[in-house]
Amino acid sequence: MVDPGAGGRDIAFMQSALAQARAARDAGEVPVGAVLVRGDAVIAVGANRPIASHDPTAHAEIEVLRAAGTSLQSYRLSDTTLYVTLEPCVMCAAAMVHARVRRLVFGAWDPRAGGAGSITDVFALPGLNHRVDVFGGVLLDDCAQLLQEFFAQRRP
């Protein structure tokens, strides 16, 4: 169940995204998870799957956008909020703009590939036909720790 308060709501949905990230980790993927919500209803969930799917575009955000599009029978995901445990890359940020996601809430910043302010800010590019409201740092420590532990085990 989701706390109806805005802060509690974001935390609750980010916890759901963290559960997806843990599932990705358990499958040997980089632990990134995503949840797409409209109102209080979860439309779709996704986790990183590039290794298992042999698809470099199978990031958690893309997986959740694809699932939501199929579920809603539309690529336009208006009035939705996407929760993701890691700042989206440029590809994923651009996909959110094209899908008309209203709001993005992410956990950890990605200083190597982040497209929401770390290396560039796709959402602030002039001339875009849609704007996404962006909020970073929700459950930052939990999201960052999951990634740090994953890579510490692989890169001693």
Side-chain angles (χ1 to χ4, degrees):
M1 197 68 191
V2 176
D3 183 332
R9 171 186 158 87
D10 286 350
I11 288 169
F13 285 125
M14 187 61 73
Q15 287 170 336
S16 295
L18 274 163
Q20 292 299 311
R22 288 184 196 98
R25 175 201 60 202
D26 295 346
E29 303 277 359
V30 174
V32 179
V35 175
L36 188 73
V37 175
R38 181 178 284 151
D40 285 331
V42 173
I43 296 171
V45 298
N48 262 7
R49 302 181 351 98
I51 296 168
S53 66
H54 309 290
D55 179 356
T57 69
H59 293 189
E61 301 94 324
I62 300 300
E63 293 293 295
V64 83
L65 294 175
R66 287 176 178 158
T70 299
S71 174
L72 298 174
Q73 293 293 289
S74 176
Y75 74 94
R76 291 194 179 202
L77 305 175
S78 304
D79 298 319
T80 59
T81 299
L82 194 150
Y83 295 87
V84 62
T85 57
L86 181 65
E87 177 186 1
C89 70
V90 172
M91 172 187 70
C92 292
M96 286 177 226
V97 171
H98 287 288
R100 311 296 198 278
V101 170
R102 181 179 54 83
R103 187 168 175 257
L104 164 67
V105 178
F106 68 87
W109 295 90
D110 187 351
R112 293 187 179 145
S118 286
I119 63 166
T120 191
D121 189 352
V122 170
F123 302 107
L125 293 173
L128 293 178
N129 64 340
H130 176 73
R131 294 287 171 206
V132 177
D133 295 329
V134 179
F135 302 91
V138 175
L139 295 183
L140 171 66
D141 293 339
D142 295 336
C143 294
Q145 181 179 0
L146 186 61
L147 287 158
Q148 289 165 355
E149 289 172 355
F150 176 82
F151 286 114
Q153 291 175 353
R154 281 157 180 74
R155 301 177 187 157

